[in-house]
Amino acid sequence: MLLQRVLVLLLAGSMAAAQATKEPSSIEEATAGLERHDGFFTYYWDSKAGKIWLEVSRFDEDFLYVNSLATGLGSNPVGLDRSQLGRDRVVRFERVGPRVLLVQDNLEYRAVTDNPDEQRAVRESFARSVLWGAEVAAESGGRVLLDATDFLLRDAHDVIGRLKQSGQGSFSLDRSRSALYLPRTRTFPDNTEFEVTLTFASNDPGRLVSEVTPSAESVTLRQRHSFVRLPEAGYQPRRFDPRSGAIPVRYFDYAQPLDQPLEQRLVMRHRLRKQDPSAELSEALEPIVYYLDRGTPEPVRGALLDGARWWNAAFEAAGYRDAFRVELLPEGADPLDVRYNVIQWVHRSTRGWSYGSSVVDPRTGEILKGHVQLGSLRVRQDRMIVESLHPLFNGSDRYGSCALEAGVEA
């Protein structure tokens, strides 16, 4: 009897070990019946489980990962605006046995040299970051399937930290009230976009949150994860000059000669090339196009389209003809889609600043997507100021009356 029990236990152990070492099923078997989306990264939507399954076929190949805030809180002092860009990181997938890691190298410290030993010395001297790790759920011919749901359903934009920093209380992510947002989860040849609805809960929400949310204890926003193909070779970085007024990308180059500074700065700029490099004035191979938010009302819409187009005079002075265009964003287009440079119309409960940001290749400073945030209340404030100072000011005008009520003397 004792021998039989021992044999049963040994058999059970060997079966468990066999199951543990069993090869994952094929991707085709694991995704049968799921909704497949092909693009830069192929993914599958499991509607029953509410999961996103990511197919990874390229390992040790760099691409750009960007997180953004798709919908805003509406409070200027807090600063969580609609379509607010977050960090852009050069990352890659690395496989180690049954596990896949999403790795970000430390590009702030580099050795710009052809000597691989110098490059390795710098790379191993500073920490890198593993942003995500997942077990291989299925495999087919070098392609693997990963459950990306937990990676996507997280506070990548650090809304919790921003709310706390601005004195609005301690919030936590409530996964039971969070889910994938399918209308803006799509994949294209050069970028894959995942959007999620996240709900942040608090028992002690601050006053600013209470002013702009229907229930201050429950703040629901949407965040975006973008996987973007890095641009093709051929872009020529340009050194930053503080007199230019441009914004730099900064890094430390440990391959610089001893009499040169370690800190290096490159200008953030769009790639712009002439069709005829020898011509004094030439069309561009690919003009820079910015798209205006369709939510911008008239007469502001027309004024912005006309005013932004004045930039073409500067491009002509630099030797380019029709190299810069401003058009209305195509109907149904996603303003956070990296394929569109966007002038965004942003509403807040109180007047705030307008500002610009970009999706940038950190290696070179090349702008892949320009994004301008225009606060809608700025134009109202500007009009009040002009009318309060205009010699023909009519006190019965509703904007002028607002200016007087605000304490501005006509």
Side-chain angles (χ1 to χ4, degrees), residues 46-318:
D46 184 346
S47 59
K48 291 183 179 179
K51 289 179 174 291
I52 288 286
W53 294 91
L54 181 68
E55 182 178 308
V56 177
S57 58
R58 296 182 299 273
F59 295 98
D60 304 311
E61 181 179 317
D62 289 341
F63 63 94
L64 200 63
Y65 166 53
V66 185
N67 66 273
S68 312
L69 186 65
T71 59
L73 180 66
S75 173
N76 181 67
V78 177
L80 295 169
D81 290 333
R82 172 196 181 204
S83 295
Q84 185 178 77
L85 296 181
R87 295 183 60 188
D88 33 41
R89 310 169 178 91
V90 174
V91 300
R92 65 177 175 275
F93 282 110
E94 295 180 359
R95 182 172 183 180
V96 184
R99 197 162 188 80
V100 174
L101 304 177
L102 182 63
V103 178
Q104 178 189 358
D105 277 336
N106 195 337
L107 294 182
E108 189 167 353
Y109 303 95
R110 318 176 190 177
V112 183
T113 175
D114 294 331
N115 187 326
D117 292 321
E118 288 187 45
Q119 295 175 355
R120 180 172 54 83
V122 176
R123 189 167 57 248
E124 293 180 355
S125 296
F126 296 94
R128 63 178 187 167
S129 297
V130 175
L131 305 181
W132 176 41
E135 296 290 334
V136 174
E139 183 174 2
S140 293
R143 299 176 291 120
V144 302
L145 191 70
L146 309 175
D147 183 355
T149 311
D150 287 343
F151 173 72
L152 299 175
L153 288 173
R154 63 191 179 90
D155 184 18
H157 200 77
D158 194 23
V159 167
I160 293 173
R162 185 60 188 167
L163 290 170
K164 184 176 182 179
Q165 183 183 16
S166 56
Q168 298 310 298
S170 298
F171 283 80
S172 60
L173 177 62
D174 187 345
R175 283 288 296 269
S176 70
R177 288 181 279 173
S178 303
L180 278 300
Y181 186 74
L182 299 182
R184 290 288 172 87
T185 295
R186 293 175 286 186
T187 187
F188 307 99
D190 294 321
N191 60 303
T192 300
E193 310 288 336
F194 299 105
E195 195 157 305
V196 294
T197 298
L198 301 179
T199 299
F200 302 92
S202 174
N203 293 324
D204 60 341
R207 176 182 60 82
L208 296 175
V209 171
S210 300
E211 290 175 351
V212 292
T213 52
S215 297
E217 296 80 9
S218 175
V219 176
T220 301
L221 303 170
R222 296 204 312 267
Q223 293 190 22
R224 172 70 61 88
H225 304 263
S226 301
F227 291 172
V228 181
R229 190 189 304 275
L230 284 166
E232 62 183 16
Y235 174 81
Q236 295 296 321
R238 177 175 295 172
R239 290 191 178 276
F240 172 76
D241 188 318
R243 296 170 297 179
S244 68
I247 300 173
V249 168
R250 188 193 71 161
Y251 63 93
F252 295 92
D253 180 8
Y254 284 80
Q256 285 290 316
L258 295 179
D259 61 346
Q260 298 298 315
L262 290 177
E263 182 178 352
Q264 300 292 307
R265 293 182 292 177
L266 301 174
V267 172
M268 292 185 192
R269 63 189 180 101
H270 288 278
R271 183 183 303 215
L272 191 63
R273 295 172 293 179
K274 289 183 175 181
Q275 290 185 13
D276 182 0
S278 63
E280 184 177 348
L281 187 64
S282 170
E283 286 80 11
L285 284 175
E286 292 185 25
I288 301 170
V289 183
Y290 271 74
Y291 294 92
L292 179 62
D293 190 344
R294 298 183 71 89
T296 310
E298 290 289 6
V300 179
R301 176 189 291 189
L304 287 174
L305 288 171
D306 290 341
R309 289 166 181 157
W310 292 348
W311 276 99
N312 240 323
F315 282 89
E316 286 191 7

